[in-house]
């Protein structure tokens, strides 16, 4: 069955049939983290979303070059142009070199992503490692007449660009609205207009991170890194640019403007944005006291958490919602995700308990069709999960002898679950996840063996005592015709 991937393109506000620039090859650029603190819940969603897209494209036999950047210079405290560099500030407070801070938190980010089974990108360039490319890109924009030099800094001329192109196409804004909503900040006298943005900033005397350029000793503007690095590794035009919805304006809008100014055309053909994670209906933020790092989620140490959650539970939680919808975090939602993941993994494990029959009462092709159509429809992972849950019921019925599969159909069903659950959705069995079901498995199996002996000896009181004790510990025992099974409640 042939399906055509349809992606929602933020630039056109509609779903479009995805056609790569080069047949069989896809270039994808995704904005990665600014590495000045521990990875948090907000990092999980874009990482899992674009890992899902990466995995899915690969499953369709595309050769994918996936570039995800690391921002380790130029991201300022107050806005894109003003304030102290966030990494430099962290370095000053901790009396470290800025690159020590960047390296430490980059490794923390990578470890957290690995624990959630997020594949490493094809290339993971650092902004600080591409200063030369960024300087050359600024030169091109100056040569095209869309930037100006002011007191050693270089600014993008938004008004001049808007006269020829449309600034605000991605976010749906127009320049008049931007003017009304742009506040004047101290230190912006070098700009022609408050909404102009920095391509290169002259470093103040106390600024630690600085490089020589034709204009001053300074550093690149935050937006510049993505234009320069995407062009270097994917060419002047590539297929997909992704990131969180919070980056749409001003970061991605500025990126489109400066790339178009330098190159004469759009660079990315499809813009894909994941929506935000909220916590009990509120935006996540340190000032609100609901900011949760991934490590706190994994060990349960944050005060608003009722328990620890495994990395796979976090991944499954993200995948249960469509990437363009708001995802609201709560203990109840994560507990439901934990139970759902356990149910799915136990259903997949139960495939090995089904004995082949002469005929099949259900057709695995139906599951393949539902999963393929859902993924092709703008990465609808919730519908894939729903389809698999429906088939888990069929699998459990087959274990109980109420449904049947031929050996060939059983092998096909196993292959479909393996492809969509493990290869595309990127899930792992809780038996493989630290802190998961495998930690209690040996003890539970030993108690069930003792219960089996008690039942064989008709010691029903002992049998019930073991069952009730396990239930009190959150372990449900299921007696079946061919043996006993169990699951975490």
């Amino acid at each position: 069955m042939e399906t055509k991937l349809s992606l929602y393109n933020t630039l056109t506000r509609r779903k479009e049939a995805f056609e790569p620039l080069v047949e069989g090859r896809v270039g994808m650029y995704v904005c990665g983290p600014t590495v000045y603190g521990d990875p948090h819940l907000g990092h999980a969603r874009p990482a899992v979303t674009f890992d899902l897209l990466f995995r899915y494209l690969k499953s369709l036999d595309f050769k994918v070059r996936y570039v995800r950047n690391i921002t380790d210079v130029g991201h300022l405290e107050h806005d894109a142009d003003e304030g102290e560099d966030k990494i430099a500030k962290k370095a000053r407070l901790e009396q470290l070199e800025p690159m020590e801070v960047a390296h430490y938190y980059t490794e923390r980010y990578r470890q957290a992503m690995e624990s959630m089974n997020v594949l490493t990108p094809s290339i993971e360039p650092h902004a600080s490692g591409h200063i030369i490319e960024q300087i050359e890109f600024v030169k091109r924009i100056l040569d095209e007449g869309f930037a100006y030099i002011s007191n050693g800094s270089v600014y993008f001329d938004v008004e001049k660009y808007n006269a020829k192109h449309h600034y605000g196409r991605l976010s749906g804004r127009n320049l008049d609205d931007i003017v009304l909503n742009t506040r004047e900040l101290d230190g912006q006298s070098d700009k022609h207009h408050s909404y102009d943005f920095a391509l290169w900033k002259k470093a103040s005397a106390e600024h630690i991170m600085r490089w020589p350029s034709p204009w001053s000793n300074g550093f690149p503007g935050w937006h510049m890194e993505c234009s320069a690095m995407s062009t270097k590794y994917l060419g002047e035009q590539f297929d997909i640019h992704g990131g969180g919805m919070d980056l749409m304006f001003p970061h991605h809008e500025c990126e489109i403007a400066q790339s178009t100014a330098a190159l004469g055309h759009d660079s990315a053909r499809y813009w894909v944005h994941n929506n935000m994670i909220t916590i009990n209906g509120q935006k996540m933020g340190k000032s609100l006291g609901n900011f949760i790092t991934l490590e706190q989620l994994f060990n349960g140490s944050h005060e608003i958490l009722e328990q620890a959650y495994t990395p796979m539970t976090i991944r499954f939680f993200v995948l249960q919602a469509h990437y363009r919808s708001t995802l609201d975090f709560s203990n109840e939602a994560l507990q439901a995700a934990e139970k759902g993941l356990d149910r799915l993994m136990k259903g997949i494990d139960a495939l090995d308990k089904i004995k082949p029959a002469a005929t099949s009462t259900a057709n695995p092709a139906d599951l393949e069709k539902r999963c393929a159509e859902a993924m092709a429809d703008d990465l609808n992972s919730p519908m894939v999960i729903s389809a698999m849950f429906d088939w888990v019921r069929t699998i459990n019925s087959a274990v109980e002898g109420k449904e049947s599969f031929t050996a060939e159909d059983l092998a096909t069903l196993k292959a479909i679950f393996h492809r969509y659950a493990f290869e595309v959705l990127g899930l792992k069995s809780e038996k493989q996840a630290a802190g998961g079901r495998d930690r209690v498995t040996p003890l539970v199996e030993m108690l069930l063996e003792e219960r089996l002996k008690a039942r064989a000896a008709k010691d029903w009181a002992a049998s019930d005592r073991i069952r009730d004790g396990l239930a009190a510990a959150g372990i449900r025992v299921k007696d079946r015709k061919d043996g006993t099974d169990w699951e975490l409640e």
Side-chain angles (χ1 to χ4, degrees), residues 465-476 489:
R465 193 161 54 248
I466 294 172
R467 181 199 62 203
D468 294 344
L470 288 170
I475 297 164
R476 182 186 299 147
E489 293 184 340

Side-chain angles (χ1 to χ4, degrees), residues 385-406:
I385 293 170
S386 175
M388 290 193 293
F389 274 154
D390 287 345
W391 273 79
V392 165
R393 285 195 289 270
T394 303
I395 291 167
N396 290 335
S397 293
V399 170
E400 295 171 356
K402 298 175 184 177
E403 300 273 4
S404 62
F405 293 100
T406 64

Side-chain angles (χ1 to χ4, degrees), residues 328-339:
D328 191 49
F329 163 90
S330 66
N331 279 286
E332 293 75 17
L334 274 184
Q335 287 163 4
E338 183 178 63
K339 291 178 181 178

Side-chain angles (χ1 to χ4, degrees), residues 25-96:
R25 294 181 178 272
V26 176
M28 182 168 76
Y29 186 93
V30 173
C31 289
T34 302
V35 286
Y36 68 97
D38 273 334
H40 53 77
L41 185 58
H43 286 127
R45 193 165 200 192
V48 171
T49 294
F50 293 103
D51 184 60
L52 174 67
L53 179 55
F54 185 33
R55 287 171 175 275
Y56 179 55
L57 290 170
K58 288 173 63 177
S59 79
L60 297 177
D61 294 325
F62 285 107
K63 292 185 182 299
V64 186
R65 178 175 287 178
Y66 174 18
V67 181
R68 183 182 68 203
N69 73 299
I70 297 291
T71 298
D72 58 359
V73 65
H75 199 291
L76 306 185
E77 277 289 323
H78 298 153
D79 68 0
D81 296 328
E82 299 301 323
E84 189 173 5
D85 186 289
K86 292 183 178 181
I87 292 173
K89 179 179 179 181
K90 190 83 171 181
R92 177 175 55 78
L93 292 174
E94 299 185 10
Q95 296 184 318
L96 297 170

Side-chain angles (χ1 to χ4, degrees), residues 168-238:
R169 290 184 299 137
L170 184 68
S171 58
R173 307 184 188 202
N174 61 60
L175 191 56
D176 289 339
D177 292 336
I178 294 169
V179 170
L180 287 173
N181 291 291
T182 301
R183 59 194 176 102
E184 295 288 347
L185 295 172
D186 292 338
Q188 287 193 336
S189 57
D190 290 344
K191 296 184 181 184
H192 291 175
H193 303 98
S194 59
Y195 43 78
D196 292 344
F197 58 90
L199 303 177
W200 184 266
K201 283 284 288 182
K202 180 180 179 180
S204 58
E206 66 274 8
H207 201 95
I208 307 173
M209 303 170 80
R210 59 175 67 210
W211 292 265
S213 79
W215 316 290
S216 64
N217 282 347
F219 53 93
W222 171 35
H223 315 304
M224 182 50 59
E225 64 184 84
C226 292
S227 291
M229 293 191 290
S230 63
T231 302
K232 177 179 175 66
Y233 294 111
L234 298 175
E236 291 195 356
Q237 192 170 42
F238 57 94

Side-chain angles (χ1 to χ4, degrees), residues 109-295:
Y109 175 79
R110 287 171 176 161
Q111 290 162 11
M113 296 305 105
E114 182 180 5
S115 72
M116 291 193 298
N117 206 25
V118 171
L119 299 176
T120 57
S122 313
I123 305 172
E124 195 171 45
H126 291 232
S128 63
H130 295 77
I131 301 298
I132 293 173
E133 289 86 351
Q134 295 181 71
I135 290 173
E136 292 302 313
F137 213 93
V138 174
K139 288 180 181 177
R140 292 179 71 170
I141 298 172
L142 281 166
D143 289 344
E144 295 296 329
F146 290 107
Y148 55 90
I149 304 166
S150 179
N151 193 28
S153 294
V154 183
Y155 293 99
F156 190 85
D157 193 328
V158 172
E159 194 168 276
K160 190 170 184 179
Y161 172 84
N162 191 63
K164 184 175 181 180
H165 306 280
H166 176 199
Y167 181 77
R169 290 184 299 137
L170 184 68
S171 58
R173 307 184 188 202
N174 61 60
L175 191 56
D176 289 339
D177 292 336
I178 294 169
V179 170
L180 287 173
N181 291 291
T182 301
R183 59 194 176 102
E184 295 288 347
L185 295 172
D186 292 338
Q188 287 193 336
S189 57
D190 290 344
K191 296 184 181 184
H192 291 175
H193 303 98
S194 59
Y195 43 78
D196 292 344
F197 58 90
L199 303 177
W200 184 266
K201 283 284 288 182
K202 180 180 179 180
S204 58
E206 66 274 8
H207 201 95
I208 307 173
M209 303 170 80
R210 59 175 67 210
W211 292 265
S213 79
W215 316 290
S216 64
N217 282 347
F219 53 93
W222 171 35
H223 315 304
M224 182 50 59
E225 64 184 84
C226 292
S227 291
M229 293 191 290
S230 63
T231 302
K232 177 179 175 66
Y233 294 111
L234 298 175
E236 291 195 356
Q237 192 170 42
F238 57 94
D239 297 296
I240 299 169
H241 195 311
M245 192 173 288
D246 57 324
L247 297 177
M248 192 183 302
F249 187 87
H251 183 48
H252 287 163
E253 200 70 78
C254 294
E255 188 183 338
I256 286 177
Q258 64 195 18
S259 292
T260 303
L263 306 174
H265 56 76
D266 286 348
S267 53
R269 298 170 64 235
Y270 299 84
W271 284 84
V272 181
H273 291 88
N274 64 273
N275 213 321
M276 299 294 99
I277 291 182
T278 57
I279 298 182
N280 295 321
Q282 285 186 310
K283 182 180 178 181
M284 184 174 68
K286 290 182 179 178
S287 61
L288 297 172
N290 60 6
F291 184 87
I292 306 176
T293 68
L294 290 174
E295 184 177 12

Side-chain angles (χ1 to χ4, degrees), residues 354-398:
I354 299 174
K355 296 177 181 178
T359 59
S360 295
T361 57
N363 187 356
D366 293 339
L367 174 62
E368 171 67 36
K369 182 174 184 292
R370 288 179 63 184
C371 290
E373 289 178 349
M375 283 304 302
D377 184 17
D378 197 24
L379 311 179
N380 200 329
S381 56
M383 293 305 296
V384 176
I385 293 170
S386 175
M388 290 193 293
F389 274 154
D390 287 345
W391 273 79
V392 165
R393 285 195 289 270
T394 303
I395 291 167
N396 290 335
S397 293

